[in-house]
Each structure stands twice: as structure tokens, then as C-alpha cells.
Amino acid sequence: MNHRSIYLDHAATTAIDPRVREAMAPYLDRYFGNPSSVHRFGREARAAVEKAREILAEVISALPEEIVFTSSGTEANNLAITGFLEAQGGSPGHVITSAIEHPSVLNVCRYWSETRRDVIASCISVEQSGLVSPAVIEAAVSTRTRLISIMHCNNETGMIQPIEEIVEIARAHRCNVHSDAVQSFLKLPLNVRTMGLDLCTLSAHKIYGPKGIGALYVKRETPLQALLHGGPQEQWRRAGTENVAAIVGFAHAVQLGVEERENRLAHLQELENKFLETLQQLGCKYELNGLPENRVPGIMNLSFQEVLGADLLIALDLEGIVVSTGSACSSGVVEASYVINAMYQDGERAKRSIRVSFGKDNTLEEARRAAETLHRIVHTTQTHQ
Amino acid sequence: MKPIYLDHNATTPLHLRVRQAMQDALAIFGNPSSIYRLGREAHNLIEEARQTIASFLGAQPQEIIFTGSGTEANNLAIKGVLRSACEWMHRPPEAFHLITSEIEHPSVLETCKGLAAAGVKVTFLPVDRHGRVRVKDFVAAITPSTLLASIMLANNEIGAIQSIRALAREAHKRGVIFHSDAVQALGKIAIDYRKIGADLLTFSGHKIQGPKGVGLLWVRRGVRIRPLLDGGPQEGALRAGTENVPGIIGLGKAFEVIARKDLRRSAKSVAALKETLRRGLMQRIKGIRINSPSANCLPNTLSISIEDTEAESLLMQLDLAGICVSSGSACSTESYGEASHVLLAIDLSTEQARATLRFSLADTTTRKEITEVLRRMPGIVAKVRSISPSYLARTSGKKHPRRSRTT
């Protein structure tokens, strides 16, 4: 990476913390055993995996056996929804999700409702604020509803969803709740017990841990069918040799995140304030997509008049500043954010949006420079049109 | 003394070059799906790995789908082909027939059992006593509704290598899609994977001195599959999820290491060590049955049953002596005390199956290590037998009358 570049896309992925890398190193070397092997190499690996599971469980107030390690947040979301629906036997029923969920939730729900006659998926709309309205959920829920899947905070706007109220509705209608907490993890308090979640998705590479590892919290006695069949790993809920080093890295990243939580959050808030203040001081006009409140610190979605998000992204990249538009496609074609579109019903505004997401290692100087550069590009583009 | 690791079919230590590549890759952090420079860097490294692997296999890069494990690749192959066929032929799963064998890896067997429970017709072919699927059985099992056959290239427990080209040819003659789990064969024997003619092939990283947490499925162009993990458009929209960048780079490096090896030569030297081990054990210990076939077998795999012993006790004693082997598959789905489905399929009794050890060597295994194993084994077997009721009953009939034997 170019050392002068400023990385402001922490909602997409984060750099692995050097301390996490160090914690992983022995498991890429000495402790290479297969955790299912009974000899010493296997037992060492097994111990490391189970220790990691305990750490993760404790942080979210779950039991170790309620944690299933997966290869990604995407896999955990797939396992939560498909695994839950398949465990319903003959009549999977009705699922409620929202229009602003991660593609791994949206596309799974779409697949189920398109291929199975006994599954109906309701994808509810959101308010302009980017918030799911409990009243809309209440209206959508029926006696056939089995599962409600709503993310903890949105990855494009940072808007915090009213999970507690949604859980209450679910309880009243005897259905289960899944929440994708990938973006909120270690930013918002996550106590699966008091929140009353049945399923909850976590991922490591958004919290300075390694890629290739995620986890699903599965409340005891929640019916769940494995997505990957084979060996008895993860108590028959996810077959495949455990990715030991990544699991160890995940747990270490969580531990660091818990220890440094207050400082990190305060720093993110400072970065965000500095960034927005600088824009304001320069007289740069922006629209914040979402609300200033009910938002995790550090994730901001902004639209600028007469400037396309894709053009901004490229111009900023040339200046060494890394941000993103809502959804980047692997083919390199930039599409307008479906999240912003769902909020404002305004494709034009969606096309004009960019997401800026700060991380623990950004400096205030970087925030200021990024705002200045952004203003300069926006201003130049606007005056040349 | 350093422990002697002879369980390479369970997992392998990282190759030095793989570890180095991964350590470096852990510092690269872009999300490959991001279109800015940092993302493209990560993306390009993944594509390089894909290219390396494809050229070793004789595949097109776009035919390689990276997964989170060999298990996931096997699941994707079988369920992916079935789901896709259901969609484009507008027929329910129950309309299709699958063929597999009794000695497959649990990730194939359990997937097929799950589908069978859901109404899909599945034939589990028996094997001969050498652990091989008979081609005529295979042909006879094919029906007009047969969609897919999945037969492993080489078995993980006994090392039997299948007549995979013949099976694939017969499948294709009858319009059946052919998948093979090649996880255990890779890097152990010289194979032209292209010439096998399989439509789908599964590989895994951690069996070839590569990383855990990454595998791949080779899907020949024209073969339709439906993804198992929905979400983003990664891997040609066939496997969603942010790519495991260091894992994939490590896998690419592990393939590169294999590609530079003379596999014929290393197979020969490993086979020579295995032969030393086999002969030495037979000479030193009475009542040994060799389960690995003498021909068409992985050069590194030796499965033996030792009369009047229990694998659990043997493993414990061996571990104390610093010798790490296994009783069969690490992914075994049989619970404690149950017998291996592979060993039962080659006609071992439950007792024999439960008295089985698997030695799996590598080209890093030394003659000294084999000598040490041969030195320690007789004592360990004697110790385990000294507490075995059946052995005592037979060797000193008076003290332990036959009727005291438990079954």
C-alpha cells in the first residue's frame, strides 16, 4: 500500500492488526494439527479453537457451544437463514427481511422464495432515515412468520436498527430473530441474551482480524440444519476442517477490540467530527444520507450535488484517498447504492452517494486532508459542469 | 526427540514458502471487490493464484472456484449440480438419481445421505476388497435419471486409487456428469488432471502443505452449478463472500510448490519408505493385516489392522512415544468406538476395523523416523495386548477361559 494514501473504507474491510498477525503466526507454523486428530498436534489445535470460541462467546454473552465458526459473514448469513428454514421440516413458512440488508441476506431470501412454493419472503421497505420501522414489521408479520432477519447496523449508512423493538414483536408472534451484526460488532453493545437474538452473524475482517473467518451465534435449541455436510465439526452444524489460525486471529482481534473499545469509539467520533467540520468550514455542501443520530460513529454516507459517486471515488483514488460507493461489482462496474435508493426512492441521489468509513488507525490530520481533497474535487466538478 | 508426524492425510504443516507468502499476504488488506487501487491489488493477487493453479491442472482460470474448504467444494459440486438441474429442467430433486461409493469422504457421503433423506435417489456403490469401485457395477447403476456420479480419486483411509478415467468415460457415454474428490491425490501422485475428463474436481489446501480454510472446485466450462452461498458476485457469482486473500495466495503457492516437484520421483521414494515400514511391521508384529491395496494405492498411505488391539489404546501409547498417526479419517463421522465405514466396506470385521492404524507419510518423512517407529511399535503393541481380554484369552487359555471373552 502506498503509505501516503488515506484509507477510509473500513466498512469494506480493515487492515489486520499486527498484534493479530502475531497471534496467528504460531498456528501457521508449530501448531499445524487438525483439531479432529487425537494426537498432540490435534489436541493443541483443538484447544486453540475452543479457547477462541470461549472468548467470542463471552464477549457477546453467549455459551461457547452457541458459536459456530464459518468461512465468512456471508456464509454465516446463509447458514442462519437457509439452515433455519430447512430445519422447519415440511413447512418453512414466511420470512421477513428489509430492503437494506447485505446481499448475502437478500439473495438467500430471494432464492428461497423463488424456488420454494412453501416459502414467502417479505422484503420490507425502510424509512427515509434508513431505519426499519417496527410498525412496518408489525404489519408484515403473520401467524406463518418463522424468522425476521434485520441487520444490527447498516453497512452503507451506519444507521442503527431498532432490534430490541423488533425482537419484542417477534416474541409476541412466536417467531425467531436473526441479526447480521457484522458492521456493528465492537461498535455497539452486543449482548445476545438481553437483546433476545436467536441467530447473529459476526465477521473478523471488519474488526482488524483475518479474512476467511466468520461466526454465527445460534441460541441453544434454535433449530438449524447444516449448510455444509460432512464431518462432525462445529457440533455437526458446519463440516470442514477448522481454519485454526484464522479462528485464533478472530478471537484475538475481538479481545483487542474489547480492551480498546472506548478509545476506538471516541477516536472514530473525533475523526468524523473533524471531517464534517472541515467540509463545513470550506463551505462544501453535502447531504448526509440517514440521520446524524442513531448512527455508529465513523460510517457516513454523503451525496453531493451534481457529482457522481463513481467519479468521486476514482478522482479520490488518484489522490490516494480510498472511499467507496455503496456497492462495487467485481466486474468493475459501479452501480448506484440500492440502500440509498431504498431510503430516498431516488436513483439520482443514490448515484451521487459515497461512503466514508473511518478506522482506528486514521489520524485527525488524515480526516482533515481527506475533507479538503474531497471539497476541492467536488468544487471543481461542480463548477466545470 | 521431536515428535514423528505420520498423519499427513489428516493435515500437513505449511510449506516454508507458503508460510512466507501468507505472512506477506496478511499485510495486504484491500477487499478484492473494491474498485480502487488497493482493492485491485488484492484482486490481482487472487487472479495470479487462480492462474497458477489453473495452469498446473490444465484448466481455464475461470473454471476455478475458491471455497472455504474441500468439504465446501464437495458440497458445492453435488448440491450445486442438483440445484441447477432442478432449476433449468423445472423438475423436483426427487426426479434425479445420483451415484457415489460407500468409501467416500464424509463430505460426499453425508451430503448424499441428506439428499437421499429429502427424496433424491442415491446409489451407494460397494467396493471390492482392494477398495475399488468396479466399473461394471458403476455402469449397471446408471439409469436414465442419473444426473451425477461422485467417486473419489484416492481414498483417505486406505489409499485406494480408483480407475477414475474409465469411470468418467462411462459416465460421459451415458450423459452423466462426473465429479471426483481429488483432495488426497493431489501432490502425492503424478496425474494429468485434464485427462481424467471429470466435469468437477475438488481440491483442498491443507493436505498439500497449504493453508486450512481454503479449497477449490474445478467446474468445467459448460457444466452448470448453482451457488451454495448467496450474496455478492464473487467467484463468478458462484461463491459469495469476501475472498480469503491470504488463504488463496497460500493455496496458489502450495500448487506452485507441487508444480516444481518431480512427483514421480517423490512418490517413488515415499513408497520405498512405506514399504520399509510395512515389511518391518510384518516382521516384528504378529497378527497384522494390511488394508491398503498393494497396487493402485497412494504411495504414502498404509492402513493396518493389528489383531487383539484397540486403536484408541494404540494411539494413546504412540502419542506418548511421540508418534502421531491416526485410526482412520480425522473427519470421521463415526462416534467413539464405532467402526470406519471405509474399512467395513472392504470387508473388515468391526473388531478389525477398530484395531486399525493409518500411517500417512510425506516426502519430508525420513528413514530415521521410520526406523524409530519400527523400534517402538512392538513394545507398544505388546503393552496394549497385555490388557486385551481377547489376546490374553487366546495366549493363556487357563487364566482367561474363552467364555470370558466379550464381543
Side-chain angles (χ1 to χ4, degrees):
Chain A
M1 181 179 150
N2 178 350
H3 286 288
R4 267 165 300 174
S5 68
I6 300 173
Y7 185 75
L8 303 181
D9 198 14
H10 292 84
T13 193
T14 57
I16 193 164
D17 190 304
R19 294 169 292 179
V20 171
R21 218 159 63 203
E22 230 166 84
M24 290 171 69
Y27 294 91
L28 294 173
D29 184 15
R30 268 185 72 190
Y31 304 118
F32 67 84
N34 185 326
S36 299
S37 297
V38 296
H39 48 63
R40 62 185 71 186
F41 288 97
R43 291 197 309 268
E44 287 160 355
R46 166 63 53 211
V49 167
E50 296 315 318
K51 176 89 190 117
R53 197 189 308 280
E54 280 168 24
I55 291 168
L56 208 60
E58 200 194 320
V59 166
I60 65 169
S61 306
L63 300 167
E65 62 267 29
E66 293 175 321
I67 303 292
V68 177
F69 287 113
T70 64
S71 69
S72 62
T74 286
E75 186 188 331
N77 277 341
N78 274 260
L79 174 60
I81 295 168
T82 296
F84 179 84
L85 291 178
E86 285 196 338
Q88 300 300 310
S91 57
H94 179 223
V95 188
I96 298 175
T97 188
S98 85
I100 59 164
E101 298 300 309
H102 189 263
S104 53
V105 167
L106 285 177
N107 290 343
V108 178
C109 289
R110 189 173 304 145
Y111 171 72
W112 272 87
S113 62
E114 279 173 6
T115 57
R116 292 275 297 256
R117 249 171 285 156
D118 50 359
V119 178
I120 303 163
S122 302
C123 186
I124 61 163
S125 55
V126 296
E127 294 174 346
Q128 208 168 72
S129 59
L131 289 173
V132 170
S133 154
V136 176
I137 300 242
E138 181 75 65
V141 81
S142 78
T143 51
R144 288 201 60 209
T145 307
R146 294 277 172 278
L147 184 69
I148 302 175
S149 176
I150 302 290
M151 67 206 320
H152 196 191
C153 97
N154 181 266
N155 51 317
E156 295 192 24
T157 61
M159 294 304 292
I160 302 164
Q161 305 302 325
I163 293 296
E164 280 87 349
E165 288 164 85
I166 292 166
V167 169
E168 255 175 59
I169 297 168
R171 287 290 165 268
H173 292 84
R174 293 173 194 284
C175 58
N176 294 72
V177 179
H178 165 243
S179 187
D180 172 356
V182 166
Q183 282 296 342
S184 65
F185 191 35
L186 303 182
K187 292 198 182 102
L188 298 175
L190 179 63
N191 181 325
V192 291
R193 285 269 171 271
T194 56
M195 286 170 76
L197 296 175
D198 303 294
L199 298 151
C200 182
T201 296
L202 305 173
S203 171
H205 77 102
K206 314 275 188 189
I207 57 160
Y208 312 96
K211 292 182 177 59
I213 192 77
L216 182 67
Y217 156 75
V218 186
K219 189 181 173 184
R220 234 184 344 182
E221 289 168 21
T222 305
L224 192 82
Q225 274 250 339
L227 202 60
L228 301 182
H229 294 91
Q233 293 92 350
E234 303 296 308
Q235 296 189 329
W236 292 98
R237 292 170 299 189
R238 201 267 182 182
T241 298
E242 297 88 341
N243 188 352
V244 181
I247 288 172
V248 168
F250 191 0
H252 199 66
V254 169
Q255 270 181 320
L256 293 172
V258 169
E259 282 163 24
E260 299 169 5
R261 174 147 45 190
E262 300 315 316
N263 288 339
R264 285 187 192 180
L265 287 175
H267 184 56
L268 288 176
Q269 192 61 61
E270 274 178 12
L271 290 165
E272 181 179 322
N273 293 347
K274 171 61 94 183
F275 181 79
L276 292 178
E277 275 164 21
T278 309
L279 283 182
Q280 284 155 12
Q281 280 162 10
L282 294 167
C284 185
K285 290 206 170 48
Y286 62 85
E287 298 152 303
L288 179 71
N289 296 317
L291 302 174
E293 63 274 9
N294 283 325
R295 195 160 51 78
V296 295
I299 301 181
M300 283 164 289
N301 203 296
L302 307 171
S303 289
F304 300 89
Q305 286 300 327
E306 296 169 45
V307 190
L308 287 178
D311 292 345
L312 257 184
L313 184 150
I314 290 160
L316 284 167
D317 191 24
L318 290 173
E319 303 257 0
I321 295 169
V322 177
V323 300
S324 81
T325 55
S327 52
C329 189
S330 64
S331 58
V333 179
V334 183
E335 290 160 16
S337 158
Y338 67 88
V339 173
I340 307 304
N341 198 22
M343 288 159 63
Y344 296 95
Q345 305 293 325
D346 179 353
E348 202 47 47
R349 182 164 180 160
K351 273 189 194 156
R352 289 189 287 106
S353 70
I354 59 165
R355 177 184 65 188
V356 177
S357 49
F358 287 102
K360 70 181 176 76
D361 297 320
N362 287 130
T363 62
L364 290 174
E365 171 60 18
E366 286 180 331
R368 188 186 57 78
R369 259 177 46 211
E372 284 170 1
T373 312
L374 178 60
H375 166 67
R376 179 161 45 79
I377 293 168
V378 167
H379 185 72
T380 314
T381 314
Q382 286 170 341
T383 49
H384 282 78
Q385 271 171 351
Chain B
M1 192 182 163
K2 225 178 112 198
I4 298 171
Y5 186 77
L6 298 181
D7 199 11
H8 290 87
N9 285 9
T11 194
T12 56
L14 283 186
H15 191 280
L16 225 68
R17 285 213 293 277
V18 174
R19 199 168 82 213
Q20 195 51 55
M22 287 182 71
Q23 289 285 10
D24 295 346
L26 283 170
I28 300 159
F29 76 95
N31 185 326
S33 294
S34 302
I35 61 163
Y36 44 73
R37 212 166 359 181
L38 204 56
R40 286 198 310 272
E41 275 169 24
H43 174 82
N44 291 344
L45 287 166
I46 287 180
E47 293 317 310
E48 264 174 45
R50 202 189 305 277
Q51 182 67 56
T52 304
I53 292 166
S55 60
F56 172 81
L57 295 174
Q60 297 294 317
Q62 63 271 24
E63 294 176 327
I64 305 294
I65 302 172
F66 291 119
T67 63
S69 62
T71 287
E72 185 188 331
N74 278 341
N75 274 261
L76 176 59
I78 296 168
K79 293 178 203 164
V81 164
L82 181 65
R83 279 185 176 190
S84 162
C86 290
E87 272 176 32
W88 61 269
M89 292 166 80
H90 298 290
R91 291 169 73 187
E94 302 89 277
F96 296 101
H97 172 235
L98 308 178
I99 298 173
T100 188
S101 84
E102 285 178 354
I103 63 161
E104 298 298 311
H105 186 265
S107 54
V108 167
L109 274 184
E110 293 299 315
T111 297
C112 288
K113 282 184 196 164
L115 292 171
V120 180
K121 291 186 282 295
V122 184
T123 302
F124 297 90
L125 289 173
V127 293
D128 65 18
R129 62 194 175 86
H130 305 294
R132 282 162 57 94
V133 171
R134 297 176 196 87
V135 178
K136 65 173 171 45
D137 290 355
F138 181 79
V139 171
I142 296 175
T143 70
S145 63
T146 308
L147 173 70
L148 172 77
S150 177
I151 307 288
M152 73 202 316
L153 212 171
N155 181 265
N156 49 324
E157 293 194 33
I158 57 172
I161 299 171
Q162 304 297 334
S163 337
I164 216 75
R165 278 178 75 173
L167 295 172
R169 200 165 43 233
E170 295 300 334
H172 284 160
K173 266 194 231 162
R174 292 160 182 83
V176 173
I177 300 170
F178 191 80
H179 166 246
S180 184
D181 171 357
V183 165
Q184 289 291 350
L186 183 63
K188 292 179 186 144
I189 45 177
I191 295 183
D192 185 338
Y193 288 96
R194 228 178 112 75
K195 281 199 183 140
I196 291 172
D199 300 292
L200 307 115
L201 281 171
T202 294
F203 298 96
S204 167
H206 75 106
K207 310 281 190 191
I208 57 163
Q209 296 189 286
K212 293 181 178 59
V214 63
L216 73 88
L217 184 66
W218 173 8
V219 185
R220 288 246 192 172
R221 205 186 316 194
V223 176
R224 297 196 213 198
I225 65 163
R226 217 216 149 269
L228 213 53
L229 301 183
D230 286 301
Q234 294 92 348
E235 299 299 305
L238 289 174
R239 202 271 184 181
T242 297
E243 295 87 340
N244 178 358
V245 180
I248 292 171
I249 289 172
L251 183 64
K253 194 52 92 174
F255 266 85
E256 203 181 290
V257 169
I258 291 175
R260 286 185 189 167
K261 268 187 199 171
D262 181 346
L263 286 179
R264 263 173 243 286
R265 230 179 90 190
S266 66
K268 233 170 137 178
S269 66
V270 172
L273 277 183
K274 177 173 98 167
E275 181 54 18
T276 306
L277 178 64
R278 186 194 66 86
R279 208 178 302 160
L281 290 170
M282 296 290 280
Q283 281 165 0
R284 287 167 175 79
I285 301 161
K286 284 199 172 55
I288 285 189
R289 180 197 198 279
I290 303 292
N291 304 319
S292 296
S294 50
N296 294 312
C297 185
L298 289 176
N300 79 319
T301 309
L302 180 66
S303 169
I304 61 168
S305 300
I306 309 173
E307 212 173 70
D308 299 319
T309 66
E310 290 247 334
E312 319 288 343
S313 321
L314 287 171
L315 288 180
M316 215 178 297
Q317 294 298 329
L318 282 163
D319 189 33
L320 287 173
I323 298 167
C324 300
V325 301
S326 80
S327 59
S329 158
C331 291
S332 166
T333 51
E334 286 90 19
S335 48
Y336 187 81
E338 270 183 335
S340 145
H341 66 280
V342 175
L343 299 173
L344 295 182
I346 57 167
D347 279 344
L348 264 68
S349 67
T350 308
E351 261 173 19
Q352 286 173 319
R354 286 167 58 178
T356 297
L357 290 182
R358 176 187 71 182
F359 297 87
S360 48
L361 287 54
D363 53 8
T364 48
T365 305
T366 62
R367 192 154 286 278
K368 222 176 113 199
E369 288 178 316
I370 297 299
T371 308
E372 177 65 9
V373 171
L374 288 174
R375 195 176 69 79
R376 302 298 296 266
M377 273 294 283
I380 286 168
V381 170
K383 194 166 178 187
V384 170
R385 280 177 173 167
S386 73
I387 51 164
S388 154
S390 60
Y391 184 70
L392 294 173
R394 190 158 20 189
T395 51
S396 50
K398 280 177 204 162
K399 266 190 281 176
H400 297 267
R402 282 191 80 84
R403 61 185 151 81
S404 75
R405 279 180 69 181
T406 51
T407 49

